[in-house]
Amino acid sequence: QQQVKQSPQSLIVQKGGISIINCAYENTAFDYFPWYQQFPGKGPALLIAIRPDVSEKKEGRFTISFNKSAKQFSLHIMDSQPGDSATYFCAASMGITGGGNKLTFGTGTQLKVEL
Amino acid sequence: EPEVTQTPSHQVTQMGQEVILRCVPISNHLYFYWYRQILGQKVEFLVSFYNNEISEKSEIFDDQFSVERPDGSNFTLKIRSTKLEDSAMYFCASSTRGIQPQHFGDGTRLSIL
């Protein structure tokens, strides 16, 4: 029930195209859903995040769509660029009092944007 | 922009030896975390730390693991007797509050021989 399922495992998109990565979760106690971008040899970097009180959040070319009833959320990268080629992880956590909130990560999607 | 710093970037250790991985979280952050990523796999939570004590730990974080904040800036992960399966990237993260976002360091690659 703690798992976050992510698809696809890998994705090839043409420059200028739209990249779409999907995630699904089971635990309805999750209330924070970030996306992280990871380049080889680097740590995950927060890209964009959403809470379940909104259905969509947009920051520049990156948009999260959130479907609470379906327990699914997705990342859309508009006008994909070669510099977007990286591994993308969705994650989820739940709000608790006191100590920090662990992130449960999806399995990752390797995105390659071709010229 | 402030960042989480981890040292060393790569640590090679013989099986059975103790290893200490070091992290300097972002200075005004209060919550600290360790995660690991086995090559090609997802990032997995190990432990969270707040107010000088462990808040939560995963099944991976057994008696061989410990964490410490020895001074006002460092946060360390110790593995007492390393095993081959401890080989992974270890990431430190920190946040201002328990509620996100968490900022990650670039990791320490731990190789157990």
Side-chain angles (χ1 to χ4, degrees):
Chain A
Q1 196 181 19
Q2 287 291 328
Q3 279 190 332
V4 177
K5 295 181 180 179
Q6 183 172 346
S7 63
Q9 188 175 353
S10 63
L11 182 61
I12 299 174
V13 172
Q14 296 299 309
K15 179 175 181 281
I18 303 173
S19 305
I20 302 174
I21 305 170
N22 301 299
C23 283
Y25 63 98
E26 289 294 323
N27 190 344
T28 55
F30 286 144
D31 65 355
Y32 175 77
F33 303 90
W35 283 90
Y36 281 84
Q37 179 189 56
Q38 186 180 32
F39 292 105
K42 293 290 188 179
L46 180 67
L47 198 57
I48 186 173
I50 198 168
R51 294 196 183 272
D53 51 343
V54 296
S55 60
E56 186 175 282
K57 183 174 181 181
K58 185 175 181 179
E59 288 183 3
R61 295 185 295 110
F62 302 93
T63 300
I64 299 180
S65 297
F66 186 81
N67 185 330
K68 189 173 181 178
S69 60
K71 292 184 283 187
Q72 295 175 348
F73 58 110
S74 59
L75 176 70
H76 295 234
I77 306 174
M78 312 299 288
D79 187 27
S80 299
Q81 299 296 313
D84 297 330
S85 298
T87 300
Y88 292 81
F89 291 95
C90 62
S93 73
M94 62 184 94
I96 57 174
T97 56
N101 304 340
K102 70 177 184 184
L103 289 168
T104 300
F105 281 86
T107 48
T109 297
Q110 272 194 299
L111 171 66
K112 183 176 180 182
V113 181
E114 292 184 336
L115 292 168
Chain B
E1 185 177 319
E3 56 183 30
V4 175
T5 306
Q6 289 186 245
T7 55
S9 56
H10 191 192
Q11 174 81 46
V12 181
T13 302
Q14 292 289 329
M15 186 172 60
Q17 295 296 304
E18 174 183 286
V19 67
I20 296 176
L21 309 182
R22 302 181 191 279
C23 170
V24 178
I26 295 173
S27 62
N28 63 338
H29 285 189
L30 300 176
Y31 295 81
F32 314 110
Y33 313 82
W34 284 101
Y35 292 82
R36 80 172 187 190
Q37 185 179 30
I38 294 171
L39 186 64
Q41 298 186 23
K42 67 178 179 180
V43 179
E44 299 176 287
F45 169 76
L46 291 178
V47 65
S48 58
F49 190 87
Y50 169 70
N51 201 24
N52 280 320
E53 60 182 27
I54 290 173
S55 309
E56 188 175 1
K57 59 184 181 180
S58 70
E59 310 172 332
I60 304 167
F61 194 89
D62 62 21
D63 292 345
Q64 294 301 311
F65 290 84
S66 62
V67 289
E68 193 178 32
R69 187 153 164 82
D71 53 44
S73 58
N74 290 284
F75 179 51
T76 62
L77 174 69
K78 182 194 290 186
I79 309 174
R80 257 178 282 278
S81 177
T82 51
K83 307 183 190 71
L84 291 175
E85 55 264 37
D86 293 328
S87 295
M89 279 292 278
Y90 287 80
F91 293 105
C92 174
S94 67
S95 63
T96 50
R97 298 162 61 195
I99 301 170
Q100 316 300 337
Q102 293 180 23
H103 297 264
F104 283 75
D106 285 339
T108 293
R109 179 171 299 285
L110 179 62
S111 300
I112 307 301
L113 305 178

